[in-house]
Amino acid sequence: MFKRLINRQNAVALSSPSPAGLRYGRFNASTKRNFSLFQSVANTFLTLHEVSQIPWIVIVPLSTITLRTLVTLPFSVWQRKRILKQQELRKLVQPITPIVKLRLAAITNKKSKNPVKINANGSLIPLPVQNPGILTPDQITLLAVKETRNRQRKLFKKHNVSLWKNALLPIVQIPLWVTISMGIRTLTEAQLVETFYPSWVAELGFGSFDLSSPLTAMPLLAPILVGTLAVLNVEYNGRLMFSSNMSSQGIKTVSRNSSRVQEAMASILNVSRLGCVVMLAMSSQAPFLLSLYWISSQLYSLVQNIVLNWIYPYQR
């Protein structure tokens, strides 16, 4: 059903069956230097394929769904609940900023008035101020923001939704994605030919699936799918980041594009869009099995975000 050869150039010329170690890609550690973690991932895929006899084009998406469901999905649900709780708590501390500004402005205004004394003639004589403690408007704003952030930090810590926990999902998801990608890349260093596929695929004109190289029959298929799904994920998350209660009801409001938060979010979206272009270019040269993993991962992320937003709607 499947045939795996080490030397891609001599794959056609070899007529005798390859040894088991070469057929299933068991590389000799003395001839090639590999990372043990990536090689372990490749060997795990090989063992799973040998035991289950599942085609490669099926086992990679199934493995992606299984890993994402067991590892990253709980973190995603936990993070969505935590972000919603943070949004509720932010509404409690938002009124603190104008109140602190008013108090500081009142204190500054009081201290800015110079004390006076009345002389014998009944006229007022201003006295010099030793320590006026007058704050500028910028200083008042800065102190008010600091006070709001301190109270917000204490409130988040009290409800166990600290901001640093928002980094747990990327810390888990990014290394997992890189490890699986490099493991599949190690797996496809030798030729991996898929000789069994459904009959409807044969009608498309595929002679065989060389999973260790780009899909020669339809070279733009994998890049288009990877790029489209990546852009859909980025744009969907971007629309979600800028959504609000009023926008969800069809009411348009004036956005403050000049704020630092808005600028940071826009920068993140631009970098993510650039990453989509990079992934599209990489998938055009990557092995088809690796592109299949990227397609499965992007599709899972898109469906996951839609379902989570339906169950736990996020609104600013």
Side-chain angles (χ1 to χ4, degrees):
M1 183 181 298
F2 301 99
K3 181 172 61 177
R4 184 173 181 81
L5 302 175
I6 289 295
N7 193 342
R8 185 177 300 176
Q9 296 179 352
N10 299 330
V12 180
L14 289 176
S15 59
S16 59
S18 302
L22 297 179
R23 182 180 302 175
Y24 296 106
R26 307 293 187 183
F27 300 105
N28 187 359
S30 61
T31 59
K32 186 174 180 61
R33 183 177 180 180
N34 294 316
F35 290 97
S36 59
L37 178 60
F38 302 152
Q39 186 62 49
S40 299
V41 173
N43 292 337
T44 302
F45 274 104
L46 287 171
T47 303
L48 184 61
H49 167 65
E50 294 171 4
V51 173
S52 62
Q53 294 298 317
I54 300 177
W56 287 110
I57 58 176
V58 177
I59 199 171
V60 169
L62 287 180
S63 301
T64 303
I65 295 173
T66 303
L67 286 174
R68 294 292 301 272
T69 303
L70 296 179
V71 179
T72 62
L73 181 59
F75 282 92
S76 299
V77 175
W78 182 35
Q79 177 158 334
R80 179 58 65 93
K81 292 181 179 180
R82 183 173 59 255
I83 290 176
L84 292 179
K85 186 63 177 180
Q86 290 173 355
Q87 291 297 105
E88 294 178 0
L89 297 177
R90 281 194 180 96
K91 296 178 182 179
L92 299 178
V93 298
Q94 281 178 353
I96 295 178
T97 303
I99 295 175
V100 174
K101 284 184 178 180
L102 290 175
R103 289 181 178 178
L104 292 176
I107 295 174
T108 301
N109 186 32
K110 183 178 180 180
K111 290 183 177 180
S112 63
K113 296 180 179 179
N114 294 337
V116 295
K117 72 174 183 178
I118 302 176
N119 57 9
N121 298 328
S123 60
L124 300 178
I125 301 176
L127 298 177
V129 180
Q130 300 295 331
N131 186 16
I134 300 175
L135 299 175
T136 63
D138 293 337
Q139 291 175 337
I140 292 176
T141 302
L142 181 60
L143 291 176
V145 171
K146 286 184 177 180
E147 180 65 21
T148 303
R149 289 179 178 176
N150 291 334
R151 297 194 181 189
Q152 176 180 287
R153 189 182 303 110
K154 294 179 181 179
L155 191 61
F156 283 1
K157 185 177 181 180
K158 178 181 178 181
H159 291 270
N160 198 22
V161 289
S162 301
L163 288 175
W164 65 267
K165 294 183 179 180
N166 294 342
L168 292 178
L169 179 60
I171 289 175
V172 173
Q173 191 169 0
I174 294 177
L176 178 65
W177 183 84
V178 173
T179 302
I180 300 300
S181 297
M182 294 303 298
I184 295 178
R185 185 67 183 88
T186 303
L187 181 67
T188 56
E189 287 180 352
Q191 190 177 27
L192 185 65
V193 178
E194 177 77 277
T195 58
F196 175 79
Y197 40 82
S199 58
W200 61 270
V201 178
E203 297 178 358
L204 298 177
F206 294 105
S208 63
F209 272 134
D210 186 2
L211 303 178
S212 58
S213 62
L215 196 61
T216 56
M218 300 180 66
L220 296 179
L221 178 62
I224 289 176
L225 290 177
V226 172
T228 302
L229 292 174
V231 170
L232 287 176
N233 271 311
V234 171
E235 296 301 328
Y236 183 82
N237 291 329
R239 185 174 62 86
L240 192 64
M241 290 168 61
F242 289 97
S243 64
S244 61
N245 292 328
M246 300 184 68
S247 63
S248 62
Q249 298 175 2
I251 302 175
K252 295 183 178 180
T253 57
V254 178
S255 60
R256 296 178 298 176
N257 296 326
S258 59
S259 64
R260 294 183 178 179
V261 177
Q262 297 287 342
E263 291 178 356
M265 294 169 64
S267 300
I268 293 174
L269 285 178
N270 292 332
V271 173
S272 301
R273 294 187 181 103
L274 180 61
C276 296
V277 177
V278 174
M279 284 197 66
L280 189 148
M282 292 175 59
S283 60
S284 64
Q285 302 296 325
F288 180 72
L289 195 65
L290 181 57
S291 299
L292 185 61
Y293 168 68
W294 291 346
I295 293 171
S296 305
S297 181
Q298 291 290 341
L299 182 60
Y300 187 94
S301 297
L302 181 61
V303 175
Q304 171 187 284
N305 292 332
I306 294 175
V307 173
L308 286 180
N309 191 45
W310 177 61
I311 300 176
Y312 307 104
Y314 172 80
Q315 293 174 349
R316 296 175 57 247

